[in-house]
Amino acid sequence: MPHRTEDIEIGLLLEALYQRYHYDFRHYARASIKRRLLQARSHFNMSSVTALQERVLHDPEMLPRLLGFLTVQVSEMFRDPSYFRALREQVLPHLRTYPSLKVWIAGCSAGEELYSMAILFREEGLLDRTLFYATDINPEALKAAEAGIYPMDRLRKFTENHQKSGGKSSLSDYYTADYGRAVFDKSLRNNVVFSDHSLVTDAVFAEMQLISCRNVMIYFDRGLQDRAVGLFKDSLTRHGFLGVGSKESLRFSRHASAFSEFVPEEKIYRKREP
Amino acid sequence: MSAPPDRAVVIGASAGGVQALLALLPSLPADFPWPVLVVLHVPADRSNVLAGLFEAKCSLEVKEAEDKETVRPGVVYFAPSDYHLLIEENGDLALSSDEAINYSRPSIDVLFESAADAYGERLVGIILTGANNDGAAGLAAVAAAGGVALVQDPAAAYARTMPQAARQACNAALVLSLERIADYLKGLKAE
Ligand SMILES: C[S@@+](CC[C@H](N)C(=O)[O-])C[C@H]1O[C@@H](n2cnc3c(N)ncnc32)[C@H](O)[C@@H]1O
């Protein structure tokens, strides 16, 4: 089928972004990236995707704004509480046997998942021996993650989730309220490395006992998901754990056989040894 | 594996949708040659029982749509709660947790617009009962891409807002009773 003009324009814009700024969205799930690009086009009042492309090529300040459309930042603390409960009850007992731990939150957005994990590790007495890597490609999101400040109206949901996850303390122990904002305790991020890292273009950087990458690969096409899962496989220690989003799975991945299902309902996998 | 089908039926429904779908889906024969994708707005805690409920009553296979699976003919896919469902040109399903559109996630518009893109005139879009406007823009997109647009007769619908909005947004839509919609689907051929 001959391509529609708009689809050609979208392919060209993604190519331009890659060549100019090295952001590679060329193999993201196309239907959803298209929706978001068309939203950006109307938001910036552009007559066409080509006009948007011209603008972002010549005006680097457009880049972060466009990234805000191309990446999806929807998140919550203790999102899918049963996932965190499964980590607490079934994964942490294994992690406890290590003298020191490395945990990678890949695609950490504004830090909701990172702080959830840090609180879980503190409650279980593992925070002090754990080094967290929190990575994302969106610089604004990384900045927000480093700040750890959320509007107070989001805290009701966060608190409810924390409780459902089997939380052993009160979430309010970890933040102070400040003019309608919840400012999370700095000590939660004493051992956190925040870093710009792309699952599409970057490589392995450390050896982890646990990787949590939730609701990121859902935006990739299958080939790209394979790349990311391969990266995780190579970044995990023997019998390391990988958790993905509740509607994601390794079933359709080329690397499926490198992992066993550890908590199938929560999409927690464990690296198999050959 | 055979190539994924190059055509599809997409259905959107909200309030009263379970009943309407029960009048529709069980009447489709086991050898129905098209895949069927459904967005039904239901409270989050009830959505994972949907596939099971319909599976028991349908001759077709019914399942919750999974990210990156390839659609097959004769299978009914329900969007999971809290995720948008989209279809790619190569027949792969995609889920996304993007913001709700018009307060809806899954959104009928999102599914219909992606399907219109992927399948053009080889697509049938159907809007059933519902109490909001989701699906109106989507159905218009289906018709604009050359697909067939069907709307449940608002007068006979449990909630008429959604079919009415869809009819207004989409002049080309045919307004039919549930029985006629079922007849239309049963007449669809593999080619
Ligand atoms: C929907 S959020 C998920 C946040 C959190 N993990 C959760 O499940 O709530 C997706 C995040 O993935 C990031 N992302 C997108 N592409 C990425 C890539 N290639 N490498 C790393 N992160 C990426 C986005 O910037 C965004 O912050």
Side-chain angles (χ1 to χ4, degrees):
Chain A
M1 190 167 75
H3 272 63
R4 281 165 296 237
T5 306
E6 203 165 62
D7 293 329
I8 297 172
E9 291 180 281
I10 288 171
L12 291 172
L13 182 146
L14 297 181
E15 189 60 38
L17 271 183
Y18 177 61
Q19 292 193 19
R20 175 81 168 82
Y21 301 106
H22 215 64
Y23 277 99
D24 193 354
F25 293 98
R26 294 174 300 172
H27 299 288
Y28 280 47
R30 196 45 80 88
S32 141
I33 209 90
K34 176 171 183 179
R35 266 201 90 76
R36 281 175 274 131
L37 266 183
L38 296 183
Q39 275 169 4
R41 186 199 61 191
S42 47
H43 175 88
F44 294 114
N45 259 314
M46 297 288 167
S47 56
S48 67
V49 175
T50 302
L52 184 61
Q53 174 188 319
E54 155 152 38
R55 179 80 187 278
V56 71
L57 273 178
H58 294 284
D59 175 4
E61 283 179 14
M62 270 296 279
L63 179 66
R65 302 173 68 195
L66 189 57
L67 284 180
F69 281 90
L70 288 174
T71 64
V72 175
Q73 299 299 327
V74 177
S75 189
E76 326 176 323
M77 282 184 76
F78 298 96
R79 178 181 195 169
D80 308 311
S82 53
Y83 171 76
F84 289 89
R85 183 183 280 277
L87 287 178
R88 184 191 300 276
E89 293 174 355
Q90 298 179 63
V91 175
L92 266 51
H94 291 276
L95 298 187
R96 219 177 269 295
T97 60
Y98 292 86
S100 72
L101 291 165
K102 286 185 179 157
V103 176
W104 180 12
I105 314 292
C108 65
S109 194
E112 295 89 342
E113 186 182 348
L114 168 73
Y115 289 97
S116 311
M117 205 68 89
I119 289 168
L120 167 63
F121 275 59
R122 165 140 330 147
E123 286 178 341
E124 298 299 327
L126 294 176
L127 188 62
D128 293 336
R129 63 170 107 150
T130 304
L131 177 60
F132 286 97
Y133 296 94
T135 63
D136 206 284
I137 57 167
N138 185 320
E140 308 281 330
L142 276 173
K143 244 185 274 168
E146 230 171 321
I149 298 174
Y150 306 98
M152 209 58 199
D153 56 17
R154 297 184 66 193
L155 266 289
R156 179 205 293 264
K157 179 75 176 166
F158 292 1
T159 303
E160 185 188 313
N161 285 351
H162 173 236
Q163 246 138 43
K164 284 193 196 153
S165 80
K168 291 178 174 166
S169 52
S170 162
L171 194 62
S172 60
D173 297 345
Y174 303 101
Y175 65 83
T176 46
D178 173 52
Y179 297 103
R181 306 174 318 161
V183 181
F184 275 80
D185 185 354
K186 283 206 293 289
S187 70
L188 291 172
R189 53 176 183 272
N190 278 347
N191 299 323
V192 181
V193 178
F194 294 91
S195 165
D196 183 344
H197 179 280
S198 171
L199 298 172
V200 181
T201 47
D202 293 323
V204 173
F205 56 89
E207 203 177 56
M208 320 284 169
Q209 279 76 32
L210 167 65
I211 298 175
S212 189
C213 179
R214 313 193 68 218
N215 307 298
V216 184
M217 293 187 290
I218 204 171
Y219 296 104
F220 295 176
D221 75 9
R222 217 178 302 167
L224 209 52
Q225 173 180 278
D226 279 342
R227 184 199 194 266
V229 175
L231 199 61
F232 296 146
K233 180 175 66 115
D234 295 339
S235 302
L236 283 171
T237 54
R238 271 176 76 77
H239 304 302
F241 296 91
L242 169 65
V244 301
S246 64
K247 296 296 172 198
E248 296 172 308
S249 102
L250 301 189
R251 197 139 69 81
F252 306 106
S253 159
R254 191 153 63 81
H255 301 291
S257 61
F259 293 89
S260 59
E261 297 190 324
F262 186 69
V263 188
E265 325 77 78
E266 300 303 335
K267 306 295 164 70
I268 298 173
Y269 298 84
R270 194 165 195 193
K271 187 173 160 184
R272 246 191 245 276
E273 288 314 317
Chain B
M1 235 173 77
S2 53
D6 62 350
R7 54 202 68 215
V9 175
V10 288
I11 305 180
S14 190
V18 173
Q19 287 308 317
L21 285 167
L22 281 174
L24 207 55
L25 298 179
S27 70
L28 300 179
D31 59 353
F32 186 69
W34 296 34
V36 181
L37 310 175
V38 185
V39 165
L40 174 61
H41 300 152
V42 283
D45 53 336
R46 276 188 39 213
S47 79
N48 46 9
V49 304
L50 277 179
L53 176 92
F54 281 92
E55 170 85 355
K57 303 212 149 94
C58 290
S59 345
L60 298 180
E61 179 183 343
V62 183
K63 67 185 300 274
E64 190 179 274
E66 290 180 79
D67 188 51
K68 301 198 200 329
E69 76 176 308
T70 308
V71 288
R72 289 171 286 136
V75 180
V76 180
Y77 300 88
F78 275 89
S81 70
D82 242 7
Y83 286 80
H84 296 302
L85 171 63
L86 303 91
I87 178 139
E88 302 281 352
E89 226 157 275
N90 65 2
D92 278 1
L93 295 177
L95 301 178
S96 108
S97 64
D98 285 29
E99 291 78 2
I101 312 271
N102 289 322
Y103 308 100
S104 303
R105 192 174 59 203
S107 146
I108 301 169
D109 285 341
V110 169
L111 171 63
F112 278 38
E113 286 166 14
S114 74
D117 251 21
Y119 292 120
E121 60 199 20
R122 290 160 288 116
L123 179 70
V124 179
I126 306 173
I127 296 294
L128 303 175
T129 167
N132 57 59
N133 293 337
D134 190 17
L139 195 70
V142 170
V148 174
L150 307 180
V151 170
Q152 181 185 5
D153 182 359
Y158 174 87
R160 61 178 59 192
T161 310
M162 206 160 90
Q164 238 158 22
R167 191 175 58 180
Q168 266 159 27
C170 181
N171 287 326
L174 297 173
V175 177
L176 301 175
S177 67
L178 279 177
E179 297 75 61
R180 288 279 156 277
I181 294 176
D183 290 342
Y184 182 89
L185 291 180
K186 282 183 266 180
L188 290 174
K189 298 284 181 303
E191 274 318 310

